[in-house]
Amino acid sequence: MSYEPKRADLSVPVRVNLYSDTQTRPSPAMKQAMMEAETGDEQGGSDPTVWELCDRTAALLGKQAAMFMPSGTMCNQVAVATHCRPGDEILAHQDAHIQSSEAGGPGAISGVMIRGLPGNRGIFTAETLNAAIRPLSRYSPPQTLVEVEQTANKGGGSCWKLSELREVARVAHAHGMKVHMDGARMLNAAVALGVAASDMVADCDTVWLDFTKGLGAPLGAVLAGPRDFIGEAWRWKQRLGGSMRQAGMNAAACIYALNHNIDRLAEDHRNAATLARAMSQIPGIEVETPETNLVFFDNKATGLTTSEFAARLRPLGVSISVSDTYRGRACTHLDVNAAQIDGAIAAMRQVLP
Ligand SMILES: *Cc1c(COP(=O)(O)O)cnc(C)c1O
């Protein structure tokens, strides 16, 4: 088995890239900001642009300190390693990215277990959490961390409401657990709900933002939390090889994204709503009503698997992602405009039997 990605066939250009918001390209203005960035040695503390990004993100999130990382996955792994000790148990939704899509990192790196909780659309309730908490006992793994994903990716890009986050955090903290937010698309939720980012994460001890999703930067994520936590997390960043050098060029792209690409997420949400409405009118497709920029659908009644559906769309220049045999995802982002959405709909109608 080789785990190396297949080289993409680029001979047919992708005209409408609904595969993921990770596919956004840095815009000319973002590249200009990167070119002009002041840089230094990030791991030596002398890159002023990285410090600026960390300070800006910490302020945005209302946290004491922040650190720049190469990826969101590394933010999750460093956070878990810093919060937990081997033998600990993390409580997270059973479909959480940290559980299904990070190559077993929590077990491999930190020696922790994850207990998957059920819940609609990727969101579990305070009652469900409460029921999963065991009395302290010599037999039980220490339950030290609750992880929430905002927005819940496999849940359909769904948003935890502020009240739901508060309740879950109250239960966690009452039992001496910390709360960590996988905020890969947290700003999508903040924009969709009209809640300030700092209010959204006020009850989470630690949180990170991905700059390579809807924010449109080529690389990077920022993990934020209490100063002593970030101080300790630096050892894990170093240990995992996440300390960088002239990272200011990438930090400049992230600062550009903070300045220009947050409010416009609302446009992605409008495009997703349009896409969902139009897809729901295609015979055989059932659409989950989107809350943000992810449109999940079931195409079983078309008679095609989602892989077959995706394979028929690709020669027409439309790319979608396959989640399951009959479940797919179309994702809007800053490189997809309303006209391209119309083009994708036309292509879907064309390829279906
Ligand atoms: C993309 C994603 C991650 C991982 O982020 P990378 O920057 O790709 O490593 C983690 N959690 C969720 C919910 C994601 O969507």
Side-chain angles (χ1 to χ4, degrees), residues 306-330:
T306 306
S307 298
E308 289 166 342
F309 183 35
R312 289 186 184 195
L313 286 171
R314 184 63 190 80
L316 300 182
V318 175
S319 176
I320 59 169
S321 75
V322 177
S323 311
D324 214 330
T325 313
Y326 296 108
R327 191 178 187 227
R329 192 186 80 172

Side-chain angles (χ1 to χ4, degrees), residues 64 113 115 117 153 197-198 206 209 231 234 237 265 331 337:
Q64 288 176 345
M113 298 184 288
R115 181 156 181 201
L117 304 179
N153 184 344
S198 56
T206 54
L209 295 183
W234 259 94
K237 174 173 151 86
L265 292 170
C331 175
N337 61 29

Side-chain angles (χ1 to χ4, degrees), residues 26 62 83 170 232 234 272 334:
H83 279 303
R170 193 180 52 75
E232 244 201 274
W234 259 94
L334 84 181

Side-chain angles (χ1 to χ4, degrees), residues 22 70-74 76 97-98 102 149-153 182 184-185 208 210 212-213 220-221 329:
T22 55
S71 71
T73 300
M74 195 178 277
N76 271 341
H97 193 281
I98 199 170
E102 299 185 13
E149 193 173 295
Q150 178 78 303
T151 65
N153 184 344
D182 172 338
R185 297 186 181 82
W208 60 270
D210 216 329
T212 64
K213 305 256 163 104
R329 192 186 80 172

